[in-house]
DNA sequence: GCACCATATGTGCAAGATGTCAATAAGGAC
DNA sequence: GTCCTTATTGACATCTTGCACATATGGTGC
């Protein structure tokens, strides 16, 4: 069983749609944080709205990306020691992060257009075969 | 200069659209080969029609994927020694390859829808900010 | 206090994916 | 023979990701 990234096992031909976008968690977390500054553990559940069903994403992966993004200056964090349980690191999106997210959106629009173009080419091809 | 081969330097915010779809070369080569059985070196140029500008893709990458796909049974190859220059390995799409390409198309449709959904969420968010 | 559990974060490694560079090989021009 | 173009292949480095496990705080039952 390949532990690899793009899950050859459950993906193509499987049924559920595999996540084919590289580093997609980044913009998802950014968008989530923009809506509501919160901590990693909480984001794990919130990711469901982007199709990341529970168990799909490992907590450590989320924490890792959060740290990386803080390192890059796209988010900043503060320890929240109020409330019970261990302290939580609460993240906020920085202005640089906003810009980065906007650039991501741009990229995604572009990627979507390319996909559309590819599918169209495929479809035209199919039609050509049908009549030939 | 951030890590990553997804061109943080030249991609996001840069201008040209970076390729964010994992293993996108696979379906591109398959679609190209379906139209016209040919060899790797030739495919390098043909990839331009999918946005892979010359220099974007290294030849070895194309050859590698071709070999992998042959290994998987999606294409088959034959040496072509006619003509001048070194022999060329000409690839043809197999029935399994056709099926695989169809599955890819399905995946891509799904991926596109997810991108659309993400962008829409972002846009709604933006609108909400504008008025508040 | 201690075992145990839920919450919350972090570390390290293995394996897959991709980029880059160099090696090889055949034929043509000079 | 040397150099250039075409064409394919191999090796290595780096990046990305999944997974197992370690750590820490507070609550509950005893």
């Amino acid at each position: 069983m390949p532990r690899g990234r793009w899950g050859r096992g459950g993906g193509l031909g499987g049924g559920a749609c595999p996540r084919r976008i590289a580093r997609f968690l980044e913009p998802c977390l950014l968008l989530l944080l923009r809506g509501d500054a919160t901590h990693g553990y909480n984001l794990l559940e919130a990711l469901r709205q982007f199709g990341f069903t529970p168990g799909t994403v490992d907590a450590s992966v989320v924490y890792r990306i959060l740290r990386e993004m803080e390192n890059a200056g796209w988010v900043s964090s503060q320890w929240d020691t109020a409330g019970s349980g261990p302290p939580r690191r609460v993240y906020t999106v920085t202005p640089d992060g906003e810009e980065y997210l906007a650039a991501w959106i741009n990229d995604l629009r572009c990627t979507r257009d390319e996909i559309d173009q590819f599918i169209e080419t495929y479809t035209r091809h199919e039609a050509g075969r049908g009549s030939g």
Side-chain angles (χ1 to χ4, degrees), chain A residues 66-131:
Chain A
L66 252 14
R67 299 302 289 278
E68 280 173 1
M69 290 202 297
E70 179 163 33
N71 218 44
W74 300 321
V75 297
S76 64
S77 71
Q78 264 186 292
W79 283 106
D80 173 16
T81 50
S84 80
R88 287 152 288 178
R89 196 191 277 273
V90 175
Y91 287 90
T92 320
V93 182
T94 65
D96 274 8
E98 293 280 353
E99 237 179 282
Y100 184 66
L101 178 56
W104 249 106
I105 293 291
N106 220 48
D107 260 26
L108 287 175
R109 268 193 244 271
C110 197
T111 300
R112 183 201 49 194
D113 290 347
E114 280 177 4
I115 293 178
D116 275 338
Q117 213 180 305
F118 184 83
I119 291 176
E120 206 194 323
T121 304
Y122 175 82
T123 309
R124 260 203 312 272
H125 221 265
E126 280 290 281
R129 301 196 136 202
S131 67

Side-chain angles (χ1 to χ4, degrees), chain A residues 13-112:
Chain A
C17 180
R19 213 142 304 269
R20 298 220 153 269
I21 310 163
R23 297 187 75 83
F24 191 45
L25 264 182
E26 252 183 26
C28 287
L29 292 174
L30 239 24
L31 186 48
L32 244 27
L33 284 175
R34 196 162 78 137
D36 200 7
T38 186
H39 59 283
Y41 196 85
N42 210 6
L43 287 165
L44 263 176
E45 290 234 345
L47 278 170
R48 299 179 68 157
Q49 71 183 264
F50 294 121
F52 294 93
T53 46
T56 307
V57 195
D58 192 85
S60 70
V61 175
V62 171
Y63 290 124
R64 185 200 291 145
I65 293 180
L66 252 14
R67 299 302 289 278
E68 280 173 1
M69 290 202 297
E70 179 163 33
N71 218 44
W74 300 321
V75 297
S76 64
S77 71
Q78 264 186 292
W79 283 106
D80 173 16
T81 50
S84 80
R88 287 152 288 178
R89 196 191 277 273
V90 175
Y91 287 90
T92 320
V93 182
T94 65
D96 274 8
E98 293 280 353
E99 237 179 282
Y100 184 66
L101 178 56
W104 249 106
I105 293 291
N106 220 48
D107 260 26
L108 287 175
R109 268 193 244 271
C110 197
T111 300
R112 183 201 49 194

